[in-house]
Amino acid sequence: MTSESQKNPITIYLAGDSTVQTYNESAAPQAGWGQYIGDFFNDEVQFINKAIGGRSSKSFVVEGRLSVILEAIQPNDYLLIQMGHNDSTVSKPERYTEPFTEYKHYLKMYIDGARERSAIPVLITPVGRLHYEKGEFLNDFQDYCTAMKLVAEEEHVRLLDLMSMSLEYFTKIGYDSARELFMISHNGTDCTHFNDKGARAIARLVAVGMKELNMEFSDFVEV
């Protein structure tokens, strides 16, 4: 590796929810894929994970978390955006966004903010949950995935369809193996949050997806 690449690695910021978040040791074995994504890239890429649990595309903005990223992001950096899980929580108006109006509006704020700073936004559909009925894993956020794909088309932004990738992966390994990727407690299986094994598996899917998008850092993926 050259001295120039040592000084200037590609920097990738992550904006997301609890499925992306980096957790401290006290939360183990709970983990998010953003915690391990760097393991699937060489040292020419650095990740800065700003994902935090319980946030939607809306509350992440309202709380000033997007602003923190935009204050730090530099030209040619990347901003990966995975939002949707908490946007669907109708019972919590501080989180909820209607998929084809508010949700699209907030996603465009991330895109515009990155582009205004000559950074590169990338949209990522919500990761799948352990929702299994009649032999099939289900997409719990269909409207949000559709809305995000519309934004990607309208704004000419690259999109990684993690929902499809994750559900295909769960189907491939089967329900029993997929269940082992999620948190389990005395209350039963947490069908949303990943353990270390699950977070690593999803991080690998993201890395593979990024390689397939043929982006600047695709050659630095190691899977």
Side-chain angles (χ1 to χ4, degrees):
M1 186 170 63
T2 65
S3 59
E4 182 65 23
S5 62
Q6 287 177 329
K7 293 178 182 177
N8 299 297
I10 294 171
T11 300
I12 302 175
Y13 287 84
L14 305 180
D17 52 37
S18 57
T19 64
V20 188
Q21 178 181 339
T22 295
Y23 293 83
N24 57 37
E25 291 183 2
S26 65
Q30 185 167 334
W33 64 255
Q35 198 165 329
Y36 297 114
I37 186 66
D39 293 350
F40 299 97
F41 286 79
N42 68 20
D43 58 6
E44 303 231 21
V45 180
Q46 67 171 350
F47 288 88
I48 300 176
N49 191 2
K50 294 295 185 180
I52 188 75
R55 272 62 178 189
S56 66
S57 65
K58 173 182 176 180
S59 61
F60 197 90
V61 170
V62 171
E63 293 177 4
R65 296 177 185 277
L66 176 59
S67 294
V68 169
I69 293 175
L70 297 180
E71 287 169 5
I73 205 165
Q74 298 295 312
N76 301 315
D77 288 350
Y78 288 80
L79 175 58
L80 273 53
I81 306 139
Q82 184 209 279
M83 293 289 181
H85 277 250
N86 296 305
D87 286 79
S88 67
T89 312
V90 178
S91 62
K92 296 188 177 182
E94 70 276 13
R95 299 182 184 182
Y96 176 70
T97 61
E98 195 285 326
F100 296 102
T101 53
E102 271 191 299
Y103 180 62
K104 291 180 67 178
H105 167 74
Y106 279 105
L107 290 180
K108 289 178 182 180
M109 290 181 67
Y110 294 74
I111 293 166
D112 291 343
R115 285 178 165 168
E116 285 167 5
R117 291 154 182 82
S118 298
I120 302 143
V122 180
L123 295 172
I124 302 178
T125 56
V127 66
R129 299 177 69 249
L130 189 69
H131 187 175
Y132 189 73
E133 292 184 14
K134 298 179 180 178
E136 182 180 3
F137 289 95
L138 302 181
N139 179 350
D140 288 337
F141 309 105
Q142 184 65 61
D143 285 347
Y144 292 91
C145 290
T146 300
M148 181 177 277
K149 290 174 183 177
L150 289 173
V151 171
E153 291 177 5
E154 292 163 4
E155 301 296 320
H156 306 290
V157 176
R158 293 192 184 184
L159 177 138
L160 190 157
D161 191 356
L162 185 56
M163 175 61 75
S164 293
M165 293 182 71
S166 56
L167 294 185
E168 287 171 8
Y169 176 66
F170 298 160
T171 300
K172 179 180 177 180
I173 64 176
Y175 176 81
D176 289 341
S177 293
R179 183 174 178 269
E180 294 177 359
L181 306 178
F182 290 82
M183 290 290 292
I184 299 174
S185 70
H186 63 278
N187 294 320
T189 302
D190 176 339
C191 295
T192 297
H193 299 104
F194 299 106
N195 56 30
D196 281 308
K197 182 178 180 180
R200 287 182 186 276
I202 299 302
R204 188 180 189 282
L205 289 181
V206 173
V208 169
M210 288 294 159
K211 187 174 183 68
E212 292 174 350
L213 285 179
N214 195 28
M215 307 190 75
E216 178 190 1
F217 52 82
S218 293
D219 289 341
F220 304 141
V221 174
E222 298 182 338
V223 293

